[in-house]
Amino acid sequence: MVGNLILSSSLKRHGRLTRQNQAEIYLKVDQLVGFLCNLTTPQKRRHVENSVANVKKTNKGKMDQNRMAPCLQLPLDNKLLENVIEKAKDWALMHGACMRSRTNLNKDVLQFAPFVLLPSTFPRREFKKAVEIQPILNELVHKVAHDYEFLSSSLKSTNTVDHFTRRLFEIYETVRKDGITQPTSLGLLRSDYLLNCDSGTIKQVEINTVASSFGGISTHLGHYHRYVLQELGRMDMIQNLPENHALQGLCQGMLEAWKLYNNEKAVIMFVVEDVTYNICDQRFHEFELRSQNPNVPVIRRNLTQISERAKLGSKKELILDDMEVGVIYFRAGYEPGHYHSENEWNARLLMERSRAIKCPSIYYHLAGTKKVQQALAKPGVLEKFLSPDKTSVVKEIFTGLYSLDKDEFGDRAVQMAIENPGHFVLKPQREGGGNNVYGDKVRTAVEAMKDSEERSAWILMERISPPMQLNYLVRPGDPNNGCPPLSDVVGELGIFGVVIGDSEKILVNKQVGHMLRTKLSTADEGGVAAGLGALDSPYLCKSTNKIMLLDPSLQPDRWRSPGREARVASGGPGETLVGIDLCQPN
Ligand code: ADP
Ligand code: MG
């Protein structure tokens, strides 16, 4: 009925995993089933079988992807699972790990945001690296944002074909010509990473300079996973959940900018969408600001309201409903759909012309485009902005990024995409998820645009292949009677940074916290707000290199040597699946 048990195992060499030192060991699944029988009651075994079937289903075509062990032995006993999930859902509802429903919007009602029951394992060394590199990335973004020549040359080809980016750039040109009224910018950044199976190291997906979200909810998620581990009787594991003060740090950044604005009566304005689904995350920021400084009023307005009610004062203060706005925090304005007409564009320009400190200023916004990310990956470019030691650290986290401009380099990238579409992601200049192209569609899209100028609006990025691990995905309205099956998931880490400064100097430069969101391994994208991903938090373990080399002659119960507890940890596609893996918390 089933084929082979696959154990993916690897040797640690010079702190790195390579394909060469990975050994795939095949054992008869009968052995595995026997092993499971020893481990479990008939009920547990049924649950294992169901879980395995689910993993098989969701795992087609991902056979050779590496795996990380989950933080706990899985699956959990059904009764325990039901009980913990019920508590976990209520915890999420009562602590605001929630969103508004997209399918059945009622502003008076919240539902919990999708989350994973257990914290996902993440190698401590790579987590630390991501945290430590953030101030360097803050500095990089800040310098890039203030380099007009670089921004304009990087975006030149894109601006000719991408209407939206061009309009943003035109605002930049306009305020530059007028003279920048407010030289100080506030950057609340989030750099996103996937672990790369080949190297066992993090690779940057992108850096967000506008509306970097989930700092609020993620700060609470660590507490949620503390609670769940405690309910599962694993207090000992809590030490591996890193502290997260993203919300406090981001809000402190806003208040520092507000202080620099230097008017006690000024308000902080959130620029929001017409309907905010991710309301808890935003309100957490608002409430935290009020709690850190009760004297600073916070208002929320969409672009249409700003276009109708805002004006500039005699010193270019932004006046709105008789209030002076000191800091503008954009949680909207990053996609064309937010600008219904010229009115909303006028509002954006008005804000940019004003004395208010913008998060982000228009040039910070442009510095976060994918085209700029690609331009930074060209040989010799990082060196212009960073010292040699910082440059080499940043290069480590970059992965292949290619221009599709109509030149010889672009032609080469077109060819690569057509030959190997699965190795790349095709990205336009958009934020917010759901815009990229994956798999065979990369070839179709590139072939369709290869002779047109339109291709300059896109970049090609090497596809990062992250390790999978098992977890329970808990979603509102799940039909599985409160007992979701085990799923294969992959996580994406985000690190938050705060940077404040002007073209001359950087006044504040900090790393402030993190987020982890997790998606099914079969999904291309995992945006939580877009409904594709689930909230998560990292459970720090030794490293991806922990997987030990198993001797095929070993019997299953020998794997459970002291301190090396065997865990049912992986599933697989095709004819068979299921593996055993190890997790060594550290
Ligand atoms: P957006 O601005 O829409 O968030 P991203 O570049 O972050 O655009 O891509 C959206 C999602 O697509 C990411 O969160 C990630 O899940 C997936 N993704 C993006 N780039 C890659 C890549 N190079 N390899 C694998 N997955 C990727
Ligand atoms: Mg993204």
Side-chain angles (χ1 to χ4, degrees):
M1 67 163 191
V2 270
N4 294 321
L5 157 66
I6 297 178
L7 292 174
S8 206
S9 59
S10 312
L11 274 177
K12 189 176 172 182
R13 286 248 201 290
H14 311 300
R16 270 172 176 251
L17 261 184
T18 63
R19 277 209 189 283
Q20 290 89 323
N21 63 25
Q22 290 173 9
E24 296 258 288
I25 300 158
Y26 294 79
L27 296 173
K28 289 269 179 265
V29 152
D30 312 17
Q31 271 181 306
L32 175 75
V33 172
F35 170 60
L36 293 177
C37 289
N38 288 338
L39 264 185
T40 58
T41 62
Q43 194 196 15
K44 281 183 189 169
R45 193 181 155 198
R46 229 182 353 267
H47 191 65
V48 171
E49 284 168 358
N50 288 343
S51 296
V52 166
N54 180 59
V55 168
K56 267 171 86 166
K57 203 171 77 198
T58 59
N59 206 22
K60 279 211 165 91
K62 298 244 174 175
M63 190 75 148
D64 56 358
Q65 218 173 6
N66 270 7
R67 300 191 153 275
M68 302 249 300
C71 66
L72 274 176
Q73 183 172 322
L74 297 177
L76 297 177
D77 167 75
N78 256 356
K79 267 254 151 331
L80 178 65
L81 182 64
E82 235 172 83
N83 182 26
V84 176
I85 285 190
E86 202 178 333
K87 290 185 189 207
K89 285 182 183 175
D90 287 343
W91 195 101
L93 285 168
M94 292 172 66
H95 291 79
C98 298
M99 293 201 286
R100 286 183 173 138
S101 166
R102 281 181 187 271
T103 48
N104 194 10
L105 177 69
N106 177 345
K107 281 194 176 179
D108 294 343
V109 177
L110 291 172
Q111 61 186 22
F112 66 82
F115 62 88
V116 285
L117 183 67
L118 301 167
S120 290
T121 44
F122 200 92
R124 184 182 294 272
R125 186 191 62 197
E126 295 306 304
F127 181 82
K128 198 163 162 266
K129 188 198 282 178
V131 163
E132 285 171 358
I133 208 172
Q134 190 58 43
I136 304 177
L137 296 175
N138 292 345
E139 178 187 337
L140 176 65
V141 168
H142 187 83
K143 289 181 172 167
V144 167
H146 288 89
D147 189 327
Y148 171 77
E149 297 306 326
F150 180 72
L151 282 184
S152 88
S153 66
S154 304
L155 291 168
K156 193 165 172 232
S157 58
T158 299
N159 283 342
T160 59
V161 283
D162 183 331
H163 182 68
F164 182 67
T165 313
R166 182 168 68 241
R167 294 234 47 185
L168 294 175
F169 202 83
E170 282 166 2
I171 292 179
Y172 181 28
E173 294 275 25
T174 307
V175 292
R176 246 178 73 85
K177 268 188 217 121
D178 290 358
I180 306 266
T181 316
Q182 176 53 262
T184 301
S185 293
L186 166 64
L188 300 181
L189 315 180
R190 200 189 69 217
S191 179
D192 291 339
Y193 304 93
L194 287 169
L195 269 172
N196 183 25
C197 280
D198 281 354
S199 58
T201 58
I202 47 165
K203 293 289 170 194
Q204 188 182 52
V205 172
E206 65 159 349
I207 188 153
N208 300 281
T209 59
V210 59
S212 309
S213 57
F214 284 108
I217 294 184
S218 297
T219 299
H220 293 275
L221 247 274
H223 298 291
Y224 154 73
H225 277 136
R226 276 179 179 79
Y227 167 75
V228 165
L229 290 178
Q230 177 192 313
E231 286 302 302
L232 291 169
R234 295 302 305 263
M235 296 290 284
D236 57 308
M237 293 171 66
I238 289 173
Q239 56 178 318
N240 295 310
L241 298 172
E243 295 272 321
N244 190 8
H245 302 292
L247 179 63
Q248 291 78 0
L250 294 167
C251 291
Q252 205 180 359
M254 276 193 252
L255 288 171
E256 281 174 69
W258 177 85
K259 257 191 236 141
L260 286 170
Y261 186 77
N262 203 17
N263 174 352
E264 281 188 357
K265 295 221 171 73
V267 305
I268 295 180
M269 176 169 75
F270 288 21
V271 179
V272 297
E273 298 151 283
D274 300 342
V275 179
T276 304
Y277 294 98
N278 195 8
I279 187 69
C280 294
D281 189 56
Q282 293 187 14
R283 289 286 189 204
F284 276 137
H285 287 75
E286 178 175 342
F287 301 157
E288 176 66 21
L289 286 168
R290 296 291 276 163
S291 134
Q292 284 187 26
N293 188 340
N295 298 319
V296 184
V298 175
I299 61 170
R300 295 166 59 84
R301 299 287 186 273
N302 63 32
L303 287 166
T304 312
Q305 291 165 334
I306 295 166
S307 75
E308 287 160 358
R309 314 212 297 247
K311 58 176 195 257
L312 294 189
S314 59
K315 294 191 185 114
K316 297 207 178 164
E317 319 88 291
L318 186 71
I319 311 286
L320 191 135
D321 298 337
D322 297 327
M323 291 172 282
E324 181 172 339
V325 178
V327 175
I328 305 173
Y329 173 48
F330 285 93
R331 290 291 297 239
Y334 54 82
E335 65 170 49
H338 297 161
Y339 299 82
H340 311 303
S341 67
E342 281 306 299
N343 296 340
E344 287 74 20
W345 282 110
N346 290 338
R348 183 79 195 256
L349 177 60
L350 186 83
M351 287 186 274
E352 208 55 44
R353 281 186 153 143
S354 78
R355 279 190 58 216
I357 296 179
K358 272 79 65 182
C359 174
S361 57
I362 196 78
Y363 34 100
Y364 251 76
H365 187 163
L366 291 164
T369 53
K370 312 234 172 354
K371 188 71 191 170
V372 168
Q373 181 188 7
Q374 176 260 309
L376 284 170
K378 283 190 201 159
V381 175
L382 278 177
E383 287 82 347
K384 283 199 239 163
F385 298 102
L386 296 172
S387 64
D389 51 331
K390 289 178 182 171
T391 299
S392 62
V393 181
V394 174
K395 273 188 182 162
E396 285 262 309
I397 60 160
F398 277 11
T399 190
L401 283 149
Y402 308 95
S403 148
L404 288 172
D405 286 356
K406 285 200 103 181
D407 55 24
E408 93 185 79
F409 300 105
D411 289 345
R412 221 176 293 154
V414 162
Q415 208 46 43
M416 289 191 318
I418 290 172
E419 279 164 18
N420 258 321
H423 286 188
F424 299 100
V425 180
L426 185 62
K427 298 188 177 188
Q429 309 307 307
R430 294 290 176 274
E431 303 294 328
N435 302 300
N436 300 341
V437 178
Y438 303 85
D440 285 342
K441 288 190 186 137
V442 170
R443 177 187 288 136
T444 323
V446 168
E447 272 175 345
M449 68 170 92
K450 75 178 191 315
D451 297 322
S452 91
E453 296 294 333
E454 192 217 335
R455 67 187 221 195
S456 299
W458 299 75
I459 62 146
L460 194 67
M461 183 173 184
E462 204 172 292
R463 186 159 187 167
I464 307 161
S465 157
M468 301 187 259
Q469 62 183 285
L470 289 176
N471 211 326
Y472 294 101
L473 254 172
V474 186
R475 300 186 218 244
D478 189 67
N480 293 296
N481 272 339
C483 221
L486 272 176
S487 300
D488 251 329
V489 297
V490 298
E492 184 170 344
L493 179 71
I495 302 289
F496 291 99
V498 175
V499 53
I500 305 176
D502 57 28
S503 60
E504 301 291 307
K505 58 195 175 304
I506 294 179
L507 300 167
V508 174
N509 180 359
K510 290 191 265 200
Q511 176 282 134
V512 294
H514 61 267
M515 74 167 291
L516 188 70
R517 70 203 140 140
T518 286
K519 62 178 179 183
L520 284 176
S521 65
T522 45
D524 290 321
E525 295 198 12
V528 179
L532 300 166
L535 300 168
D536 197 349
S537 58
Y539 181 84
L540 301 185
C541 63
K542 229 172 202 162
S543 77
T544 44
N545 301 355
K546 71 195 171 347
I547 309 161
M548 66 174 188
L549 185 70
L550 287 172
D551 179 340
S553 64
L554 281 181
Q555 292 307 301
D557 53 346
R558 294 271 310 278
W559 304 341
R560 283 177 291 163
S561 55
R564 291 182 139 188
E565 193 184 357
R567 298 161 199 279
V568 178
S570 54
E575 28 166 324
T576 340
L577 161 12
V578 178
I580 304 290
D581 207 343
L582 297 170
C583 176
Q584 296 179 326
N586 165 11

